[in-house]
């Protein structure tokens, strides 16, 4: 019999999270209390935000249903390990749309995960391999979680960094946001040694360490970490104006288009036009446009027209076996 009310409520909540209807008598038997106590405990759960639905009659009982907000979940050991392994598998790759949320969730979970379960998670990850279609570099989940925790806790972050030319340095930063784009992770942070804002590719970061020193976040020049990263990437690359039309509806093209490329404008029900500023090699842009799976016409720049022509010729030769 569970006489401690908080412990009993956690046990009751764990049972109710199983997707089935629980008769009051069965719950009372499981917890070793009376049906009256079960009814009081159900009321307590409702008072703190858990939407418990009761049905009357001989076949009635209690069921946890979807509510307006998501209250805390109670996980057993196996469930906690499964979620942590799944989040770790995804966190090392920039998964468009859920990447930042998965890293925040992983940081929260690993903060409270008991040592015995943390060991199981690590063992499972070492013993398995993720088959990924991504072309971006993989990142140790521990690196992301340390950095995410520093961002959330407003702690100064120290790490080793390897620049694109191979130069290595030590950085002391005030981390602002982690941003994912094109299957890569970037840290937007204020570099204290250089007294300026910087972006860092996370796959080039090693030995991240949250110093414990708190800071008050500075005002980012652009107001948005994503916009700051976009401008930083464009400054580092030669940019050009892109003008492309697609023989497909704007909604269909937008669903396959990386967010940083902007939004296509509909021309009619069956075609659309994309005008934006791009950086990087035009050969790579030609491949990305072809990967969308829709017929398209490049209006400008001329360099991209030539890259598309060469790509088409190369694909034609490959198909012909020459």
């Amino acid at each position: 019999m569970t006489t401690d009310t908080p412990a009993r409520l956690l046990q009751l909540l764990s049972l109710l999270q199983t997707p089935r209807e629980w008769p009051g008598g069965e719950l009372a038997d499981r917890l070793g209390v009376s049906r009256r106590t079960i009814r009081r405990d159900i009321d307590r759960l409702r008072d703190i935000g858990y939407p418990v639905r009761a049905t009357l009659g001989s076949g009635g009982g209690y069921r946890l249903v979807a509510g307006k907000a998501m209250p805390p979940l109670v996980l057993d050991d196996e469930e906690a390990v499964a979620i942590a392994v799944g989040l770790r598998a995804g966190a090392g790759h920039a998964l468009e749309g859920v990447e930042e949320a998965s890293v925040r969730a992983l940081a929260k979970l690993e903060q409270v995960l008991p040592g015995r379960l943390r060991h199981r998670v690590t063992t499972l990850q070492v013993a398995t391999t993720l088959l990924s279609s991504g072309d971006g570099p993989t990142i140790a989940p521990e690196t992301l979680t340390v950095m995410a925790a520093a961002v959330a806790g407003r702690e100064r972050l120290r790490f080793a960094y390897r620049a694109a030319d191979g130069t290595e340095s030590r950085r002391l930063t005030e981390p602002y946001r982690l941003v994912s784009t094109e299957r890569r992770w970037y840290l937007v942070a204020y570099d204290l040694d250089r007294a300026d804002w910087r972006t860092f590719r996370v796959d080039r970061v090693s030995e991240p360490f949250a110093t414990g020193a708190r800071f008050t976040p500075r005002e980012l020049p652009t107001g948005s970490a994503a916009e700051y990263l976009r401008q930083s990437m464009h400054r580092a690359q030669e940019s050009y104006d892109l003008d492309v039309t697609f023989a497909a509806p704007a909604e269909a093209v937008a669903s396959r288009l990386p967010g940083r490329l902007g939004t296509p404008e509909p021309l009619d029900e069956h075609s659309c036009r994309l005008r934006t500023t791009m950086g990087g090699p035009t050969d790579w842009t030609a491949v990305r446009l072809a990967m969308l799976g829709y017929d398209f016409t490049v209006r400008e720049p001329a360099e991209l027209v030539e890259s598309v022509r060469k790509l088409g010729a190369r694909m034609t030769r490959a198909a012909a076996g020459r």
Side-chain angles (χ1 to χ4, degrees):
M1 176 177 177
T2 305
T3 57
D4 183 83
T5 300
R8 189 178 64 248
L9 285 176
L10 287 174
Q11 290 182 33
L12 175 59
L13 182 57
S14 180
L15 291 172
L16 289 174
Q17 284 175 172
T18 304
R20 54 161 289 191
E21 190 140 311
W22 287 88
E26 187 174 349
L27 290 174
D29 291 341
R30 286 287 192 106
L31 300 179
V33 296
S34 67
R35 294 193 182 198
R36 182 178 179 183
T37 298
I38 291 295
R39 287 195 294 270
R40 286 202 301 263
D41 286 350
I42 292 294
D43 289 337
R44 290 189 180 102
L45 289 177
R46 288 169 175 162
D47 288 342
I48 57 177
Y50 290 94
V52 182
R53 177 180 298 165
T55 54
L56 303 177
S58 58
Y62 300 98
R63 175 190 292 270
L64 197 63
V65 297
K68 295 181 180 178
M70 182 176 172
L73 298 177
V74 176
L75 303 174
D76 62 26
D77 286 3
E78 299 300 327
E79 293 164 343
V81 168
I83 291 175
V85 169
L87 289 172
R88 277 186 168 215
H93 303 262
L95 306 177
E96 190 167 351
V98 299
E99 58 283 343
E100 292 181 42
S102 67
V103 170
R104 290 199 309 270
L106 181 58
K108 290 178 181 178
L109 181 58
E110 294 209 340
Q111 183 178 0
V112 298
L113 207 61
R116 57 187 171 80
L117 298 187
R118 193 187 306 273
H119 175 72
R120 288 178 59 187
V121 170
T122 302
T123 300
L124 278 172
Q125 189 177 30
V126 169
T128 57
T129 300
L130 176 67
L131 178 62
S132 172
S133 60
D135 53 6
T138 59
I139 302 167
E142 293 83 359
T143 297
L144 281 172
T145 53
V146 168
M147 299 176 82
V151 170
R154 297 180 178 179
E155 290 184 56
R156 288 181 176 177
L157 183 72
R158 190 184 299 277
F159 54 85
Y161 190 69
R162 176 179 49 81
D165 61 1
T167 303
E168 296 187 354
S169 60
R170 303 288 301 184
R171 303 298 182 98
L172 178 61
T173 66
E174 294 177 351
Y176 187 81
R177 287 289 187 278
L178 281 166
V179 183
S180 172
T181 179
E182 291 299 296
R183 297 192 178 275
R184 283 195 174 96
W185 281 102
Y186 293 85
L187 173 70
V188 176
Y190 188 83
D191 191 320
L192 291 169
D193 295 326
R194 291 154 181 78
D196 199 3
W197 289 93
R198 291 287 190 272
T199 59
F200 303 94
R201 266 181 52 175
V202 177
D203 59 294
R204 295 176 179 164
V205 169
S206 60
E207 304 173 41
F209 173 73
T211 65
R214 305 285 179 176
F215 66 90
T216 300
R218 304 168 190 263
E219 184 176 353
L220 195 64
T222 59
S224 161
E227 177 60 20
Y228 183 83
L229 176 62
R230 187 188 69 81
Q231 292 183 14
S232 177
M233 293 174 71
H234 282 180
R235 285 193 300 268
Q237 299 173 338
E238 247 184 76
S239 61
Y240 50 88
D241 293 329
L242 176 71
D243 190 351
V244 181
T245 57
F246 295 91
E251 296 81 3
V253 174
S255 68
R256 300 187 181 184
L257 199 66
R260 72 180 183 86
L261 295 186
T263 304
E265 306 167 357
L267 296 176
D268 53 42
E269 293 182 0
H270 306 291
S271 64
C272 61
R273 184 177 186 180
L274 176 66
R275 287 179 286 190
T276 188
T277 301
M278 284 285 295
T282 56
D283 289 349
W284 176 239
T285 302
V287 173
R288 291 308 304 265
L289 293 173
M291 287 173 61
L292 295 178
Y294 298 114
D295 290 345
F296 64 93
T297 301
V298 178
R299 297 172 177 266
E300 61 175 312
E303 295 85 356
L304 180 56
V305 173
E306 179 63 15
S307 293
V308 170
R309 187 191 66 76
K310 289 181 179 178
L311 177 63
R314 189 175 302 118
M315 295 297 101
T316 299
R317 290 194 297 272
R322 298 201 299 267

